[in-house]
Amino acid sequence: MTRALLALLLVAVPVLSAGQSDTRVVKPEVRVGDSWTYRGTNVIAPGTHEHETRVSFVDDKVILAVSTRKGDGKEFDSSWTPEWNAVTSYTGLMYRPPTGVLRFPLRIGDKYPLKFEVLRLRPTTVTMRVTGAATVVGWETVEVPAGKFRAMRVDLEADYQPIDGSSAFVQQATFWYVPEVRRWVKLQSVTPNRRLSEELLAYKLNED
């Protein structure tokens, strides 16, 4: 009887472990030199461009990245939390506090509120106040030019209230995050006046 119970437990443990890893995704171990090449629309500049984003510095508080536009070599700096939430964008906007769309570990079914301000850096002024929520939807298979991946889908819906009194608007966005890529492989965002997207073309990770 004891041996039978022990055998059952030994079989059950791997199954339980697999199930747990299937429903949660831990924070990425981003390293200096990691790079991702995307085709983006209205991301680093209006229109569609290819750009490579490379990590130039990382510690337990921040990721610094430099994005190089393929067409003309122009560079765009950005900063992020270790969870890939934007602190300063490619276009020079700042988010206070950081956007908070990705909160690790990602667990299927988690839903959490978002509240941040969008600021211009020079001069430092608030332009919009944002409230909303992000939902960890679950695993999906997504295909992009870099390949086919099993990705954790995170949906965002947020209300943007401009400070200048212009009309408020709603943003709906989806991130497809892939643990082994250490970043998202696809991003789509829609507002009434703007569509934004990114899809992964290639990536290179520092394994040292």
Side-chain angles (χ1 to χ4, degrees):
M1 188 72 175
T2 302
R3 289 181 179 178
L5 180 58
L6 179 60
L8 181 61
L9 289 173
L10 289 173
V11 171
V13 166
V15 174
L16 288 172
S17 299
Q20 290 168 354
S21 65
D22 202 50
T23 57
R24 64 191 295 273
V25 176
V26 299
K27 185 174 68 175
E29 294 184 9
V30 178
R31 302 176 183 179
V32 171
D34 287 352
S35 67
W36 305 265
T37 300
Y38 293 96
R39 180 184 297 116
T41 300
N42 299 324
V43 176
I44 60 172
T48 299
H49 307 274
E50 292 184 9
H51 65 276
E52 180 190 44
T53 294
R54 181 179 296 273
V55 175
S56 58
F57 176 83
V58 62
D59 63 14
D60 59 351
K61 295 181 180 179
V62 67
I63 298 170
L64 301 182
V66 178
S67 298
T68 305
R69 186 162 58 191
K70 295 292 188 178
D72 57 9
K74 184 175 180 179
E75 294 184 343
F76 302 79
D77 295 326
S78 59
S79 60
W80 312 76
T81 71
E83 297 184 312
W84 281 121
N85 291 304
V87 179
T88 58
S89 73
Y90 311 105
T91 55
L93 295 175
M94 182 169 71
Y95 303 91
R96 185 178 66 189
T99 54
V101 176
L102 299 176
R103 297 189 188 180
F104 293 89
L106 300 175
R107 295 186 180 90
I108 295 173
D110 277 2
K111 185 173 183 177
Y112 37 86
L114 305 175
K115 187 175 182 180
F116 58 90
E117 294 177 329
V118 182
L119 299 90
R120 291 192 183 94
L121 294 181
R122 296 185 181 88
T124 302
T125 55
V126 176
T127 63
M128 286 181 264
R129 292 191 170 93
V130 184
T131 57
T135 304
V136 182
V137 178
W139 292 103
E140 290 188 355
T141 298
V142 59
E143 190 164 3
V144 294
K148 184 182 289 187
F149 300 92
R150 187 167 181 263
M152 183 66 85
R153 174 174 172 166
V154 180
D155 285 352
L156 157 71
E157 183 166 330
D159 296 312
Y160 283 70
Q161 182 64 62
I163 300 302
D164 63 7
S166 56
S167 298
F169 60 91
V170 175
Q171 177 195 27
Q172 293 180 319
T174 298
F175 292 77
W176 284 270
Y177 176 85
V178 175
E180 61 267 30
V181 175
R182 302 178 190 165
R183 213 167 189 255
W184 52 86
V185 300
K186 187 175 180 181
L187 162 64
Q188 292 181 338
S189 170
V190 178
T191 68
N193 299 316
R194 189 183 187 206
R195 289 181 177 269
L196 180 152
S197 65
E198 261 185 335
E199 59 177 8
L200 189 68
L201 303 179
Y203 67 100
K204 183 178 181 180
L205 303 180
N206 181 0
E207 302 295 352
D208 292 337

